[in-house]
Amino acid sequence: MSNISTLRLSDWIAKDKSHEETERQERISELLSFFSVPKNPDVERFAHKNAIPYEKANKGRTYILVDENTYPLAYFTLGLGRLEYSADISGKLWKKLRGVGDGDATVLTCILLGQLARNHGVSYDSLPKGCLFNEMLNAVYQGQSFVGGRFLLAECNDDLIGYYQKKGFIHLYKNSNNHLNQMILLL
């Protein structure tokens, strides 16, 4: 098993137009181009094309798990999200999610797990089971310690419901707009 480090993309991307910064951004673009996620082309496309612009626009933070050679093993992206009320959510759970002071809120702000993916271009031995999820949770709890937040929202396809439920997420409903399942992890 290799030594694994977690890199925050915002620490790597160019913040100015200097030659050194531009070269570093080209290197990180190259690093992201090695991501292969054949079962989910949207996740792969995000890594290849959208991660850097998303980061520069301050829409969220992408973290890359790399081995000792800085080869990408996995990545995840966290941001701010919104959970809309649905009749599929029990009144008791909605009240718990709302918390104090949001008595009639129909939309709640939360931490959003935007992406979570293992690079299928590497062997399973390279990334211990649970490592990616644990790194993501560490980042969530660190963010929560600064800004608060009552729950983590994950939106996923039907085939990932079981995975997230095993990790403690609660399935709420399927969003009729984007056809993704709304799942939450209470923090």
Side-chain angles (χ1 to χ4, degrees):
M1 179 173 34
S2 50
N3 293 326
I4 298 171
S5 301
T6 302
L7 307 174
R8 193 170 62 182
L9 185 57
S10 62
D11 293 338
W12 279 51
I13 61 172
K15 300 205 184 325
D16 60 44
K17 299 291 185 202
S18 73
H19 181 68
E20 180 181 306
E21 292 294 324
T22 302
E23 283 182 1
R24 186 169 24 184
Q25 184 167 327
E26 288 171 4
R27 170 70 179 117
I28 200 72
S29 291
E30 180 184 345
L31 179 82
L32 291 166
S33 74
F34 287 110
F35 269 97
S36 171
V37 190
K39 290 184 178 180
N40 195 333
D42 290 337
V43 172
E44 183 176 292
R45 189 177 317 106
F46 182 86
H48 294 178
K49 301 203 180 291
N50 299 330
I52 291 174
Y54 191 84
E55 197 79 27
K56 284 181 161 185
N58 283 316
K59 290 185 174 184
R61 293 291 175 251
T62 295
Y63 299 80
I64 307 167
L65 281 68
V66 297
D67 65 13
E68 67 272 3
N69 298 314
T70 319
Y71 190 80
L73 304 173
Y75 84 100
F76 61 91
T77 301
L78 300 173
L80 296 176
R82 298 168 18 111
L83 177 66
E84 295 182 22
Y85 176 75
S86 166
D88 297 319
I89 303 173
S90 75
K92 184 178 178 180
L93 178 58
W94 188 252
K95 185 175 181 178
K96 184 176 185 174
L97 295 175
R98 267 195 337 240
V100 178
D102 287 332
D104 57 357
T106 58
V107 177
L108 301 177
T109 303
C110 57
I111 301 169
L112 173 67
L113 173 56
Q115 308 290 334
L116 180 73
R118 184 187 144 286
N119 186 353
H120 289 261
V122 298
S123 73
Y124 279 96
D125 296 336
S126 301
L127 188 65
K129 189 174 184 170
C131 181
L132 171 60
F133 193 82
N134 290 339
E135 285 296 313
M136 179 274 298
L137 273 183
N138 287 337
V140 166
Y141 288 131
Q142 184 177 15
Q144 182 194 33
S145 73
F146 289 110
V147 298
R150 302 179 62 77
F151 61 94
L152 174 65
L153 172 67
E155 298 181 315
C156 68
N157 295 321
D158 294 344
D159 59 334
L160 290 173
I161 292 173
Y163 170 81
Y164 282 113
Q165 286 177 328
K166 286 179 187 172
K167 299 293 187 181
F169 281 76
I170 301 166
H171 182 265
L172 298 176
Y173 63 90
K174 190 169 197 167
N175 187 320
S176 60
N177 294 332
N178 62 13
H179 305 292
L180 294 174
N181 295 287
Q182 308 298 291
M183 302 192 68
I184 60 164
L185 180 66
L186 299 173
L187 301 175

